[in-house]
Amino acid sequence: MTDAPGLADRVAALLGEPVTEAGPVGGGSVCRSVRLRRRSGGTVFAKTLADAPPGFFAAEAAGLRLLGGTGTVAVPEVLAADERTLVLEWVEPGPATPAAAERLGRELAALHRVPAPGYGTAHAAFIGPLPLPAAGPGPASGLPGGGEDWAAFHAARRLLPFLRQAADRGAMAPADVRAVERLCELLPRIGGPAQPPAVIHGDLWSGNVLFAADGRARLVDPAAQGGHPEADLAMLELFGCSHLERVLAAYEEVRPLPGRRERVPLHQVHPLLVHAVLFGAGYGAAAGRAARAALTSV
């Protein structure tokens, strides 16, 4: 059922000191997460996945370091990682206050002003348990010299791969498949103003926003990459977030995005396709509806 002794032993080896489990941590749907006490004092957060894909926790650690290194948003400090385990500083949860939500909005706006070297990543990355197609050399790279804009990248590396997976698993009706394919064809016309690659969280649903006792939200479980900033905001709107309107209003005070609200369905298609792959046809139908909504602007 659980591997608490094994996990505690692995964390102890990674930290170089004994630890004891202090209890499970809820909220995740992929990994088992626990709180552990260090002999030297204090607590840490650890998560494990027995059959983690190669590079799974290294990618998460790299994403947290990327976000934290921008100096714009708060993330837990990465303490250690191996192929089956990630150890982070413990962040004491706190209330989701309006002030914390407004600060989060301003910090996200600052994050999205940080340029990325290209769209996607050149290394392994994951959204939930699913690998994200990495950018590579050539016209579909999204990296400097790759010769690809956001629309081409998003269609080829984000929408179509997950559409195919969802369809192969029987999670997409034919009409919904056609709607997403049509969206990919017309993406250059409906994607809005040109957007150079910016650093984004990449999987910013409410469960990956941890409101902390110190009044500042932490971002966790990123699929950090070069991408379109509106993707993060659309993800928050898709699955909700405490004081969401405060978050969005504070964001747009710092970084106005004319026409963004009309483009929300466009940026929700990708996470809905991911959920269709993981959880089935209900999300496939939602992806089709979002694609058709996005196409109404043509």
Side-chain angles (χ1 to χ4, degrees):
M1 175 81 177
T2 66
D3 65 339
L7 176 57
D9 289 344
R10 289 199 305 277
V11 173
L14 287 167
L15 296 180
E17 67 173 296
V19 297
T20 56
E21 186 167 346
V25 177
S29 60
V30 176
C31 298
R32 188 173 75 85
S33 301
V34 298
R35 182 178 182 179
L36 300 122
R37 293 191 182 92
R38 307 178 70 158
R39 173 177 285 181
S40 61
T43 57
V44 299
F45 170 90
K47 59 196 298 188
T48 185
L49 183 62
D51 300 317
F56 182 75
F57 287 118
E60 183 172 341
L64 288 168
R65 291 183 177 116
L66 172 62
L67 295 177
T70 66
T72 60
V73 294
V75 300
E77 180 186 356
V78 177
L79 301 178
D82 64 15
E83 283 300 307
R84 293 177 59 194
T85 313
L86 178 66
V87 187
L88 306 175
E89 70 165 322
W90 175 258
V91 177
E92 189 65 29
T97 65
E102 290 172 3
R103 181 172 183 175
L104 173 62
R106 292 190 294 270
E107 291 180 344
L108 286 173
L111 173 68
H112 293 160
R113 284 178 166 166
V114 177
Y119 295 109
T121 70
H123 54 77
F126 297 83
I127 183 163
L130 300 177
L132 284 167
S141 69
L143 295 175
E148 186 177 56
D149 62 13
W150 174 79
F153 164 80
H154 194 65
R157 301 286 181 174
R158 294 296 177 260
L159 296 182
L160 290 174
F162 292 98
L163 174 65
R164 295 187 189 107
Q165 290 181 58
D168 288 346
R169 297 185 187 201
M172 298 286 295
D176 294 327
V177 171
R178 290 193 295 271
V180 177
E181 290 175 338
R182 182 63 173 159
L183 178 66
C184 291
E185 293 170 6
L186 297 178
L187 205 51
R189 290 173 54 186
I190 64 178
Q195 169 62 56
V199 176
I200 66 171
H201 179 282
D203 191 11
L204 196 61
W205 70 290
S206 60
N208 289 342
V209 177
L210 173 59
F211 286 95
D214 65 3
R216 189 181 188 190
R218 305 301 197 276
L219 304 188
V220 299
D221 293 350
Q225 59 189 284
H228 198 302
E230 292 180 26
D232 278 348
L233 303 182
M235 187 81 158
L236 279 179
E237 292 194 65
L238 180 60
F239 296 112
C241 177
S242 296
H243 305 294
L244 177 61
E245 289 306 314
R246 296 279 191 114
V247 175
L248 297 175
Y251 182 105
E252 297 206 17
E253 285 177 5
V254 176
R255 190 172 183 273
L257 295 170
R260 185 196 70 82
R261 291 188 183 274
E262 289 71 28
R263 294 186 293 271
V264 168
L266 163 63
H267 292 285
Q268 291 179 339
V269 175
H270 174 241
L272 288 168
L273 290 174
V274 170
H275 277 69
V277 174
L278 293 173
F279 305 116
Y283 286 105
R289 290 193 297 271
R292 283 187 285 273
L295 288 166
T296 60
S297 64
V298 178

